[in-house]
Amino acid sequence: MHAGHGAGLAAKTVGPPVQKGSTVLLPDAASLYDDLGQLTYGRQGLSAQFALQAALAELENARAVTLYPSGLSALTGALIAVLKTGDEVLVTDVIYKPTRRFCDHVLKRFGVTVRYFDPRQPPDELVGGASDATRLILMESPGSLSFELQDLPRVAELARARNILTVADNTWGAGYLMRPLDLGVDISVQALTKYVGGHSDVFMGSVAVNDPKLVRAMDDGVTNLGWAVNGEDAYQMLRGLRTLPTRLARHGQSALAVAAWLKQRPEVVEVFHPALAGARGHELWARDFAGASGLFAFSLRPATDLAVNAFLDALELFGLGFSWGGFESLAISCDPQLKVRKFRPQYGGPLMRLNIGLEDPADLIADLEHGFAAYAAAT
């Protein structure tokens, strides 16, 4: 039972060792209840988790990064860590649907008031409309369905003057194309499942902060709720992080090529890609982002659900699925998800979202042509 513990040092490899363990053996009796400055239980993380946290902190220019089992748990964990009964939170109306569900069904149940705001609202009006109970403003820039951008630096500046925290879902920017903390935002959240993982095969989320009080709040939140990520998943995320710049460059170039092609199609009313010249929010994108990722949307000319489904069903290279950020291209229709929004601008027709993967953009364009042929026949 006790054999093999002192088997010698592991060889040095390019990746960290993956340790598996719940129990952490401590050096002496005095260390058993010394929780400050030492690791006492495996749920706190081991070698691979610590290596990933350090790399993500460098990526986001953060003092500390906390890991969560999914992107959704990262967002909900950040909210739980800083909100209390009687607080109010202002949430962008384009927020990720599962986050909205948490706000509507969990935060409200615990006495937190949730108010949704139009992402097109000027920052002065947004922060000026906050109440004395407003504790936090939750943003997603760009929104992951309709791609509205918000003026993060201005909102953060105005909110800080009123002692209101700001949170940004930065999954589209992946911590590499945009750094919310550098723009003055207090808390940067990512679904690492998307671009950092890059292969649609592992769940994880992260929260990056700089303020020492927020560092403690996030650590306490994870400890008190018992969240943890395992070493093998952390290793996979770290492996994905190593190729993130290379993959994002390809995603971004291919997506812009497809978006520019779609802009010329007679079936398309508008392309919603902030990095596309002339698109909504392009000025904010050019100021705040160092590049573009592969996720964007476009609206079709008005047609029946039958025609929209015919378009999607005719696609062969594009899979039909709800995630994004992986190597494979995906397509979905967005209109069913827009029904819960309080502010619904006109998009001109059915809204479609594409995740442009790592395939040849010429092949993806050819696949979309098949979709348009089916759409025309059904229309």
Side-chain angles (χ1 to χ4, degrees):
M1 290 174 65
H2 290 266
H5 285 298
L9 296 176
K12 185 175 182 180
T13 57
V14 296
V18 177
Q19 293 177 283
K20 294 184 177 182
S22 54
T23 297
V24 173
L25 299 176
L26 299 168
D28 50 51
S31 301
L32 285 172
Y33 296 100
D34 179 12
D35 295 330
L36 299 178
Q38 71 171 347
L39 182 66
T40 59
Y41 198 59
R43 190 173 60 236
Q44 296 168 261
L46 298 166
S47 54
Q49 292 94 320
F50 295 150
L52 176 61
Q53 286 174 298
L56 289 171
E58 184 172 338
L59 178 75
E60 298 235 31
N61 198 21
R63 178 188 294 266
V65 168
T66 310
L67 300 177
Y68 300 79
S70 69
L72 177 61
S73 64
L75 255 173
T76 60
L79 297 179
I80 290 171
V82 297
L83 294 174
K84 65 183 184 305
T85 299
D87 285 343
E88 177 182 70
V89 55
L90 305 182
V91 180
T92 177
D93 198 36
V94 299
I95 197 68
Y96 177 55
K97 184 179 177 181
T99 305
R100 189 184 197 111
R101 187 171 59 234
F102 172 81
C103 290
D104 289 344
H105 300 292
V106 180
L107 285 185
K108 288 185 178 180
R109 182 157 55 90
F110 285 95
V112 175
T113 300
V114 178
R115 274 201 289 143
Y116 293 98
F117 64 87
D118 189 336
R120 300 165 300 173
Q121 187 177 20
D124 300 68
E125 292 183 13
L126 168 61
V127 181
S131 71
D132 292 339
T134 302
R135 169 66 171 154
L136 181 146
I137 298 174
L138 175 57
M139 299 171 284
E140 182 179 311
S141 186
S144 58
L145 285 179
S146 43
F147 299 90
E148 295 89 346
L149 266 73
Q150 294 164 253
D151 191 338
L152 297 186
R154 181 60 176 162
V155 172
E157 177 187 16
L158 294 170
R160 182 168 286 107
R162 294 191 55 180
N163 199 31
I164 298 171
L165 292 172
T166 50
V167 181
D169 184 334
N170 188 35
T171 304
W172 193 89
Y176 181 77
L177 303 175
M178 192 260 283
R179 289 175 165 176
L181 301 184
D182 286 354
L183 300 179
V185 174
D186 296 300
I187 302 170
S188 174
V189 182
Q190 275 198 71
L192 302 177
T193 308
K194 306 299 196 289
Y195 281 117
V196 173
H199 292 78
S200 303
D201 58 1
V202 60
F203 292 98
M204 199 175 296
S206 66
V207 171
V209 295
N210 273 326
D211 188 316
K213 292 181 180 178
L214 291 176
V215 173
R216 181 61 184 268
M218 298 306 149
D219 285 346
D220 287 347
V222 166
T223 299
N224 293 335
L225 289 170
W227 276 315
V229 302
N230 69 60
E232 291 183 348
D233 285 352
Y235 186 96
Q236 281 187 265
M237 283 299 175
L238 189 61
R239 183 173 60 179
L241 189 63
R242 304 306 187 200
T243 62
L244 180 66
T246 303
R247 288 185 288 105
L248 276 178
R250 177 60 182 267
H251 284 301
Q253 292 166 3
S254 296
L256 278 172
V258 175
W261 177 80
L262 284 168
K263 192 174 181 180
Q264 307 305 317
R265 294 289 305 196
E267 304 92 341
V268 173
V269 178
E270 187 173 355
V271 178
F272 302 92
H273 190 319
L276 194 65
R280 303 185 191 190
H282 179 71
E283 295 78 11
L284 288 176
W285 173 84
R287 186 193 69 186
D288 295 341
F289 287 79
S293 63
L295 192 75
F296 70 95
F298 65 96
S299 56
L300 291 166
R301 298 202 177 279
T304 64
D305 290 342
L306 179 66
V308 171
N309 290 341
F311 173 87
L312 292 171
D313 290 339
L315 301 176
E316 296 180 357
L317 284 183
F318 284 90
L320 306 184
F322 281 103
S323 193
W324 45 279
F327 64 90
E328 77 291 357
S329 292
L330 299 170
I332 63 169
S333 56
C334 301
D335 286 11
Q337 295 191 63
L338 303 179
K339 294 178 181 178
V340 298
R341 291 189 179 177
K342 182 178 179 181
F343 306 97
R344 295 186 60 187
Q346 296 301 312
Y347 299 116
L351 189 66
M352 316 294 287
R353 189 183 75 181
L354 299 180
N355 171 64
I356 303 300
L358 300 179
E359 303 93 341
D360 190 313
D363 292 336
L364 296 176
I365 287 173
D367 199 31
L368 291 170
E369 286 182 325
H370 296 151
F372 282 125
Y375 176 77
T379 301

